[in-house]
Amino acid sequence: MKFSTKEDVEAPIEAVFDMLCDFESFERSAMRRGAEVQRVDTMYKPGVGMTWNAVFPLRGKRRELTIEVVTFDRPNEIVIDSMSQGLAGQMSFELMPLSRNTTRVLVALEVKPLNLSARLWVQSLKLAKATLSKKYKDRVAEYARGMEDRHTRSVKV
């Protein structure tokens, strides 16, 4: 099952890429939502091979997730793979400069079931695909506006 959308962000491509590379803020956000997140690589700079283990409750069960950066092409693309019990996921961010101060961000999420129970769960998601797609697009748009706000604040300072 795949979701994708695009948003135009009023910020230069380098600034947008740097905001997408702020992995520590994503870690803190997940922790605020009740997840346990642990970085397991020893890298000092963002790049291919960055890896995290996360544990979080979902639908009354404890879920474990491994997340790894598999593509890191500054300032054009980041691809992140995730693996959990029964599900494989891939999230990609492609950036294209539209002008000096505008960047188009294409965000795609693909989830693949690896066993029967995951296949049934993904099948149930397909029944609500229209609603889920709208929520996905709304969340990406909300995040893009937040990036614009952060960029505007950083330029004024």
Side-chain angles (χ1 to χ4, degrees):
M1 173 172 233
K2 190 168 187 173
F3 299 94
S4 63
T5 188
K6 65 181 182 242
E7 284 294 322
D8 294 345
V9 179
E10 295 299 322
I13 191 169
E14 285 291 340
V16 173
F17 193 87
D18 288 343
M19 285 184 264
L20 289 174
C21 293
D22 186 6
F23 296 115
E24 290 176 3
S25 72
F26 293 117
E27 289 175 29
R28 288 190 302 271
S29 177
M31 287 185 221
R32 281 193 301 271
R33 291 179 170 87
E36 299 170 30
V37 180
Q38 181 178 10
R39 176 109 175 257
V40 293
D41 66 85
T42 57
M43 298 176 64
Y44 296 106
K45 293 182 357 183
V48 172
M50 292 179 75
T51 308
W52 296 263
N53 287 332
V55 178
F56 55 94
L58 180 68
R59 296 186 178 208
K61 281 190 171 180
R62 177 182 158 100
R63 309 291 178 165
E64 296 178 15
L65 184 66
T66 300
I67 304 152
E68 181 179 3
V69 176
V70 294
T71 303
F72 192 85
D73 177 21
R74 181 177 290 275
N76 303 309
E77 182 179 30
I78 301 172
V79 179
I80 299 169
D81 281 353
S82 60
M83 183 69 69
S84 70
Q85 306 99 326
L87 283 175
Q90 185 173 75
M91 186 154 212
S92 65
F93 304 89
E94 290 182 49
L95 284 71
M96 290 182 283
L98 298 179
S99 71
R100 197 162 30 142
N101 291 318
T102 306
T103 304
R104 177 161 290 162
V105 182
L106 294 111
V107 185
L109 171 65
E110 186 169 9
V111 178
K112 294 179 183 177
L114 302 175
N115 60 28
L116 182 61
S117 62
R119 187 169 294 186
L120 292 171
W121 183 70
V122 169
Q123 195 65 32
S124 70
L125 292 179
K126 287 182 180 178
L127 297 173
K129 175 114 179 170
T131 304
L132 292 172
S133 290
K134 182 178 180 343
K135 286 183 181 181
Y136 177 81
K137 289 177 185 205
D138 290 347
R139 290 295 294 261
V140 171
E142 178 184 326
Y143 190 76
R145 299 300 74 83
M147 285 195 293
E148 287 177 349
D149 292 345
R150 280 185 281 163
H151 175 69
T152 302
R153 284 194 305 267
S154 70
V155 171
K156 288 182 180 178
V157 172

